[in-house]
């Protein structure tokens, strides 16, 4: 069965960095776009960044553009999110998600499998 397991969350100071990973199994990872999304306390799910199945196209939400970098290693079936210049408003539960196809979409409904999430807290 499809499994997505995030890791790498934790506590960071404002201006600091964290690196998230998402280990995928149970499907042909290289055939699907992948994205990261987050949910802050008391707020809805927000799409953060996505990457095409072959890694050729990458997209970011305006709120993280220039600070976050998404990447993938199809040989290792792993998705990554490097987060720099963290802000308190980046505090959220971060999820990786498998798209239903090869292209990235910002529509949460176009993702059919989700991990359990990893907590990121940015605070001094």
């Amino acid at each position: 069965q499809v499994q997505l397991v995030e890791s790498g969350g934790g506590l960071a100071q404002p201006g600091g960095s964290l690196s998230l990973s998402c280990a995928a199994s149970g499907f042909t990872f290289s055939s699907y776009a992948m994205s990261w999304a987050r949910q802050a306390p008391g707020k809805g799910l927000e799409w953060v960044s996505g990457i095409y199945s072959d890694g050729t196209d990458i997209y970011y939400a305006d709120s993280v553009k220039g600070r976050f970098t998404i990447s993938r290693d199809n040989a290792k079936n792993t998705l990554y999110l490097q987060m720099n210049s963290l802000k308190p408003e980046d505090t959220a539960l971060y999820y990786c998600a498998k798209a239903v196809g090869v292209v990235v979409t910002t529509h949460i409904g176009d993702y059919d499998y989700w991990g359990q999430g990893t907590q990121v807290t940015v605070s001094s």
Side-chain angles (χ1 to χ4, degrees), residues 1-9 19-27 29 34-37 71 76-81 93-98 113-119:
Q1 70 279 21
V2 173
Q3 283 195 316
L4 299 171
V5 181
E6 302 96 337
S7 60
S19 181
L20 305 184
S21 298
C22 172
S25 61
F27 65 103
F29 182 72
M34 298 290 295
S35 280
W36 289 95
S71 62
K76 294 183 177 180
N77 292 347
T78 303
L79 178 72
Y80 304 98
L81 186 68
L93 191 59
Y94 282 72
Y95 299 93
C96 70
K98 171 190 168 293
Y113 289 94
W114 297 77
Q116 83 289 348
T118 186
Q119 179 67 41

Short mmCIF file of all heavy atoms in Angstrom, two decimals, residues 1-9 19-27 29 34-37 71 76-81 93-98 113-119:
data_model
loop_
_atom_site.label_atom_id
_atom_site.label_comp_id
_atom_site.label_asym_id
_atom_site.label_seq_id
_atom_site.Cartn_x
_atom_site.Cartn_y
_atom_site.Cartn_z
N GLN A 1 0.83 -1.18 0.00
CA GLN A 1 0.00 0.00 0.00
C GLN A 1 0.88 1.26 0.00
O GLN A 1 2.04 1.19 0.40
CB GLN A 1 -0.92 0.01 1.23
CG GLN A 1 -0.22 0.24 2.55
CD GLN A 1 0.43 -0.99 3.13
OE1 GLN A 1 0.71 -1.95 2.39
NE2 GLN A 1 0.70 -0.97 4.41
N VAL A 2 0.29 2.35 -0.42
CA VAL A 2 1.02 3.61 -0.48
C VAL A 2 1.31 4.09 0.93
O VAL A 2 0.44 4.11 1.80
CB VAL A 2 0.21 4.67 -1.24
CG1 VAL A 2 0.90 6.03 -1.16
CG2 VAL A 2 0.02 4.26 -2.69
N GLN A 3 2.57 4.47 1.13
CA GLN A 3 2.97 5.05 2.41
C GLN A 3 3.84 6.27 2.15
O GLN A 3 4.73 6.23 1.30
CB GLN A 3 3.73 4.04 3.27
CG GLN A 3 2.84 3.02 3.94
CD GLN A 3 3.57 2.28 5.05
OE1 GLN A 3 4.71 1.88 4.90
NE2 GLN A 3 2.91 2.11 6.18
N LEU A 4 3.59 7.32 2.90
CA LEU A 4 4.39 8.54 2.88
C LEU A 4 4.74 8.86 4.32
O LEU A 4 3.85 9.02 5.15
CB LEU A 4 3.61 9.69 2.25
CG LEU A 4 3.17 9.50 0.80
CD1 LEU A 4 2.22 10.61 0.37
CD2 LEU A 4 4.36 9.45 -0.13
N VAL A 5 6.04 8.91 4.60
CA VAL A 5 6.49 9.11 5.97
C VAL A 5 7.41 10.33 6.03
O VAL A 5 8.54 10.29 5.52
CB VAL A 5 7.20 7.87 6.52
CG1 VAL A 5 7.64 8.12 7.96
CG2 VAL A 5 6.31 6.65 6.43
N GLU A 6 6.92 11.38 6.66
CA GLU A 6 7.71 12.60 6.80
C GLU A 6 8.61 12.52 8.02
O GLU A 6 8.30 11.85 9.01
CB GLU A 6 6.80 13.83 6.95
CG GLU A 6 5.82 14.07 5.81
CD GLU A 6 4.44 13.50 6.10
OE1 GLU A 6 4.36 12.57 6.95
OE2 GLU A 6 3.46 13.97 5.51
N SER A 7 9.72 13.25 7.94
CA SER A 7 10.63 13.37 9.07
C SER A 7 11.38 14.69 8.95
O SER A 7 11.37 15.33 7.90
CB SER A 7 11.61 12.20 9.12
OG SER A 7 12.39 12.15 7.93
N GLY A 8 12.03 15.08 10.04
CA GLY A 8 12.89 16.26 10.00
C GLY A 8 12.32 17.50 10.64
O GLY A 8 13.01 18.53 10.72
N GLY A 9 11.09 17.45 11.11
CA GLY A 9 10.53 18.61 11.76
C GLY A 9 11.19 18.85 13.11
O GLY A 9 12.02 18.07 13.58
N SER A 19 15.26 20.96 7.59
CA SER A 19 15.16 20.17 6.37
C SER A 19 14.21 19.02 6.60
O SER A 19 14.39 18.24 7.53
CB SER A 19 16.55 19.65 5.99
OG SER A 19 16.48 18.90 4.80
N LEU A 20 13.19 18.93 5.77
CA LEU A 20 12.20 17.86 5.86
C LEU A 20 12.45 16.81 4.78
O LEU A 20 12.91 17.14 3.68
CB LEU A 20 10.79 18.42 5.68
CG LEU A 20 10.36 19.56 6.60
CD1 LEU A 20 8.89 19.90 6.34
CD2 LEU A 20 10.60 19.22 8.05
N SER A 21 12.12 15.57 5.10
CA SER A 21 12.18 14.48 4.14
C SER A 21 10.85 13.73 4.15
O SER A 21 10.14 13.73 5.15
CB SER A 21 13.29 13.50 4.49
OG SER A 21 14.55 14.12 4.45
N CYS A 22 10.56 13.10 3.03
CA CYS A 22 9.35 12.28 2.92
C CYS A 22 9.73 11.01 2.17
O CYS A 22 10.05 11.06 0.98
CB CYS A 22 8.26 13.03 2.18
SG CYS A 22 6.81 12.03 1.78
N ALA A 23 9.72 9.90 2.88
CA ALA A 23 10.04 8.61 2.28
C ALA A 23 8.77 7.98 1.73
O ALA A 23 7.79 7.81 2.47
CB ALA A 23 10.68 7.70 3.31
N ALA A 24 8.79 7.65 0.44
CA ALA A 24 7.62 7.11 -0.22
C ALA A 24 7.79 5.62 -0.54
O ALA A 24 8.90 5.18 -0.85
CB ALA A 24 7.36 7.88 -1.51
N SER A 25 6.69 4.89 -0.48
CA SER A 25 6.72 3.48 -0.85
C SER A 25 5.33 3.05 -1.30
O SER A 25 4.35 3.74 -1.03
CB SER A 25 7.19 2.62 0.34
OG SER A 25 6.31 2.75 1.42
N GLY A 26 5.28 1.92 -1.99
CA GLY A 26 4.01 1.36 -2.41
C GLY A 26 3.48 1.86 -3.73
O GLY A 26 2.37 1.49 -4.14
N PHE A 27 4.26 2.69 -4.43
CA PHE A 27 3.87 3.15 -5.76
C PHE A 27 5.13 3.55 -6.52
O PHE A 27 6.21 3.65 -5.94
CB PHE A 27 2.89 4.33 -5.68
CG PHE A 27 3.45 5.58 -5.08
CD1 PHE A 27 3.82 6.66 -5.87
CD2 PHE A 27 3.61 5.72 -3.70
CE1 PHE A 27 4.34 7.82 -5.33
CE2 PHE A 27 4.12 6.87 -3.13
CZ PHE A 27 4.50 7.92 -3.95
N PHE A 29 7.26 5.99 -7.53
CA PHE A 29 7.48 7.38 -7.10
C PHE A 29 7.78 8.29 -8.28
O PHE A 29 7.27 9.40 -8.37
CB PHE A 29 8.62 7.39 -6.09
CG PHE A 29 8.94 8.73 -5.51
CD1 PHE A 29 8.10 9.34 -4.59
CD2 PHE A 29 10.13 9.39 -5.86
CE1 PHE A 29 8.41 10.57 -4.04
CE2 PHE A 29 10.44 10.61 -5.32
CZ PHE A 29 9.57 11.21 -4.40
N MET A 34 4.74 15.47 -6.73
CA MET A 34 4.63 15.46 -5.28
C MET A 34 4.60 16.90 -4.78
O MET A 34 5.16 17.80 -5.42
CB MET A 34 5.83 14.74 -4.66
CG MET A 34 5.98 13.28 -5.02
SD MET A 34 4.71 12.21 -4.31
CE MET A 34 5.09 12.38 -2.55
N SER A 35 3.97 17.09 -3.64
CA SER A 35 3.90 18.42 -3.06
C SER A 35 4.05 18.36 -1.55
O SER A 35 3.89 17.29 -0.93
CB SER A 35 2.57 19.11 -3.40
OG SER A 35 2.57 19.64 -4.69
N TRP A 36 4.35 19.51 -1.01
CA TRP A 36 4.30 19.73 0.43
C TRP A 36 3.14 20.69 0.70
O TRP A 36 2.92 21.65 -0.05
CB TRP A 36 5.58 20.36 0.94
CG TRP A 36 6.77 19.45 0.94
CD1 TRP A 36 7.72 19.34 -0.03
CD2 TRP A 36 7.13 18.51 1.96
NE1 TRP A 36 8.65 18.39 0.32
CE2 TRP A 36 8.32 17.87 1.54
CE3 TRP A 36 6.57 18.14 3.19
CZ2 TRP A 36 8.95 16.88 2.31
CZ3 TRP A 36 7.20 17.18 3.94
CH2 TRP A 36 8.37 16.55 3.51
N ALA A 37 2.44 20.43 1.79
CA ALA A 37 1.37 21.31 2.25
C ALA A 37 1.52 21.45 3.76
O ALA A 37 2.24 20.66 4.39
CB ALA A 37 0.00 20.75 1.89
N SER A 71 12.87 19.43 -3.54
CA SER A 71 13.64 18.58 -4.45
C SER A 71 13.18 17.14 -4.25
O SER A 71 12.45 16.83 -3.31
CB SER A 71 15.14 18.71 -4.18
OG SER A 71 15.46 18.30 -2.87
N LYS A 76 15.89 7.24 -4.74
CA LYS A 76 15.71 6.92 -3.32
C LYS A 76 14.25 7.01 -2.88
O LYS A 76 13.94 6.87 -1.70
CB LYS A 76 16.56 7.87 -2.46
CG LYS A 76 18.05 7.70 -2.65
CD LYS A 76 18.83 8.63 -1.73
CE LYS A 76 20.33 8.41 -1.88
NZ LYS A 76 21.11 9.30 -0.98
N ASN A 77 13.36 7.33 -3.84
CA ASN A 77 11.93 7.47 -3.51
C ASN A 77 11.70 8.45 -2.36
O ASN A 77 10.92 8.18 -1.43
CB ASN A 77 11.31 6.11 -3.16
CG ASN A 77 11.22 5.18 -4.34
OD1 ASN A 77 11.40 5.59 -5.49
ND2 ASN A 77 10.97 3.91 -4.07
N THR A 78 12.38 9.58 -2.44
CA THR A 78 12.33 10.54 -1.34
C THR A 78 12.09 11.95 -1.85
O THR A 78 12.70 12.37 -2.84
CB THR A 78 13.61 10.48 -0.50
OG1 THR A 78 13.80 9.14 -0.02
CG2 THR A 78 13.52 11.41 0.70
N LEU A 79 11.25 12.66 -1.15
CA LEU A 79 10.95 14.06 -1.40
C LEU A 79 11.56 14.89 -0.27
O LEU A 79 11.56 14.44 0.88
CB LEU A 79 9.44 14.27 -1.44
CG LEU A 79 8.90 15.67 -1.66
CD1 LEU A 79 9.14 16.11 -3.10
CD2 LEU A 79 7.41 15.71 -1.33
N TYR A 80 12.05 16.08 -0.61
CA TYR A 80 12.70 16.92 0.38
C TYR A 80 12.10 18.33 0.37
O TYR A 80 11.57 18.80 -0.63
CB TYR A 80 14.19 17.04 0.09
CG TYR A 80 14.92 15.73 0.02
CD1 TYR A 80 15.19 15.12 -1.21
CD2 TYR A 80 15.35 15.08 1.17
CE1 TYR A 80 15.85 13.91 -1.28
CE2 TYR A 80 16.02 13.86 1.11
CZ TYR A 80 16.26 13.28 -0.12
OH TYR A 80 16.92 12.08 -0.18
N LEU A 81 12.26 19.00 1.51
CA LEU A 81 11.94 20.43 1.58
C LEU A 81 12.97 21.09 2.49
O LEU A 81 13.00 20.82 3.69
CB LEU A 81 10.53 20.66 2.12
CG LEU A 81 10.07 22.13 2.10
CD1 LEU A 81 9.88 22.60 0.66
CD2 LEU A 81 8.77 22.31 2.89
N LEU A 93 1.96 22.00 10.90
CA LEU A 93 2.18 20.58 10.64
C LEU A 93 2.38 20.46 9.13
O LEU A 93 1.52 20.89 8.36
CB LEU A 93 0.98 19.78 11.11
CG LEU A 93 1.09 18.26 11.15
CD1 LEU A 93 2.23 17.83 12.07
CD2 LEU A 93 -0.21 17.65 11.62
N TYR A 94 3.51 19.90 8.72
CA TYR A 94 3.86 19.81 7.31
C TYR A 94 3.62 18.40 6.80
O TYR A 94 4.06 17.42 7.40
CB TYR A 94 5.32 20.18 7.10
CG TYR A 94 5.56 21.68 7.14
CD1 TYR A 94 5.48 22.39 8.33
CD2 TYR A 94 5.84 22.39 5.97
CE1 TYR A 94 5.66 23.75 8.37
CE2 TYR A 94 6.02 23.77 6.01
CZ TYR A 94 5.93 24.44 7.20
OH TYR A 94 6.12 25.81 7.24
N TYR A 95 2.93 18.32 5.66
CA TYR A 95 2.58 17.05 5.04
C TYR A 95 3.19 16.95 3.66
O TYR A 95 3.24 17.94 2.92
CB TYR A 95 1.07 16.94 4.86
CG TYR A 95 0.24 16.99 6.12
CD1 TYR A 95 -0.27 18.20 6.58
CD2 TYR A 95 -0.05 15.83 6.82
CE1 TYR A 95 -1.04 18.25 7.73
CE2 TYR A 95 -0.84 15.87 7.97
CZ TYR A 95 -1.32 17.07 8.41
OH TYR A 95 -2.10 17.12 9.54
N CYS A 96 3.60 15.75 3.28
CA CYS A 96 3.89 15.50 1.88
C CYS A 96 2.70 14.78 1.28
O CYS A 96 1.95 14.08 1.98
CB CYS A 96 5.18 14.71 1.68
SG CYS A 96 5.15 13.00 2.19
N ALA A 97 2.50 14.99 -0.01
CA ALA A 97 1.32 14.45 -0.67
C ALA A 97 1.66 13.99 -2.07
O ALA A 97 2.44 14.62 -2.78
CB ALA A 97 0.22 15.51 -0.72
N LYS A 98 1.03 12.90 -2.47
CA LYS A 98 1.21 12.33 -3.81
C LYS A 98 0.09 12.86 -4.72
O LYS A 98 -1.09 12.76 -4.39
CB LYS A 98 1.14 10.80 -3.74
CG LYS A 98 1.08 10.12 -5.10
CD LYS A 98 0.77 8.65 -4.94
CE LYS A 98 0.41 8.01 -6.28
NZ LYS A 98 -0.88 8.55 -6.80
N TYR A 113 -2.89 10.74 -1.71
CA TYR A 113 -2.29 10.13 -0.53
C TYR A 113 -1.48 11.19 0.22
O TYR A 113 -0.78 12.00 -0.40
CB TYR A 113 -1.40 8.94 -0.89
CG TYR A 113 -2.18 7.74 -1.35
CD1 TYR A 113 -2.41 7.52 -2.70
CD2 TYR A 113 -2.69 6.84 -0.42
CE1 TYR A 113 -3.14 6.42 -3.12
CE2 TYR A 113 -3.42 5.73 -0.84
CZ TYR A 113 -3.65 5.54 -2.19
OH TYR A 113 -4.37 4.45 -2.60
N TRP A 114 -1.54 11.09 1.55
CA TRP A 114 -0.89 12.06 2.42
C TRP A 114 -0.13 11.33 3.52
O TRP A 114 -0.55 10.26 3.96
CB TRP A 114 -1.94 12.96 3.07
CG TRP A 114 -2.69 13.79 2.08
CD1 TRP A 114 -3.69 13.38 1.25
CD2 TRP A 114 -2.49 15.17 1.80
NE1 TRP A 114 -4.12 14.42 0.47
CE2 TRP A 114 -3.40 15.54 0.79
CE3 TRP A 114 -1.62 16.14 2.32
CZ2 TRP A 114 -3.47 16.83 0.27
CZ3 TRP A 114 -1.70 17.43 1.80
CH2 TRP A 114 -2.61 17.76 0.80
N GLY A 115 0.96 11.93 3.95
CA GLY A 115 1.67 11.40 5.10
C GLY A 115 0.97 11.81 6.39
O GLY A 115 -0.08 12.48 6.37
N GLN A 116 1.58 11.42 7.50
CA GLN A 116 0.99 11.72 8.80
C GLN A 116 1.37 13.12 9.30
O GLN A 116 0.77 13.63 10.25
CB GLN A 116 1.42 10.67 9.83
CG GLN A 116 2.78 10.89 10.48
CD GLN A 116 3.95 10.64 9.53
OE1 GLN A 116 3.81 10.10 8.44
NE2 GLN A 116 5.14 11.05 9.96
N GLY A 117 2.36 13.73 8.64
CA GLY A 117 2.77 15.08 9.00
C GLY A 117 3.94 15.11 9.97
O GLY A 117 4.15 14.18 10.75
N THR A 118 4.70 16.19 9.88
CA THR A 118 5.79 16.44 10.82
C THR A 118 5.68 17.89 11.30
O THR A 118 5.47 18.80 10.49
CB THR A 118 7.17 16.14 10.18
OG1 THR A 118 8.19 16.26 11.16
CG2 THR A 118 7.49 17.05 9.02
N GLN A 119 5.82 18.09 12.58
CA GLN A 119 5.60 19.41 13.17
C GLN A 119 6.83 20.29 13.02
O GLN A 119 7.95 19.87 13.33
CB GLN A 119 5.24 19.28 14.65
CG GLN A 119 5.03 20.60 15.36
CD GLN A 119 3.79 21.34 14.85
OE1 GLN A 119 2.75 20.72 14.62
NE2 GLN A 119 3.89 22.66 14.71
#
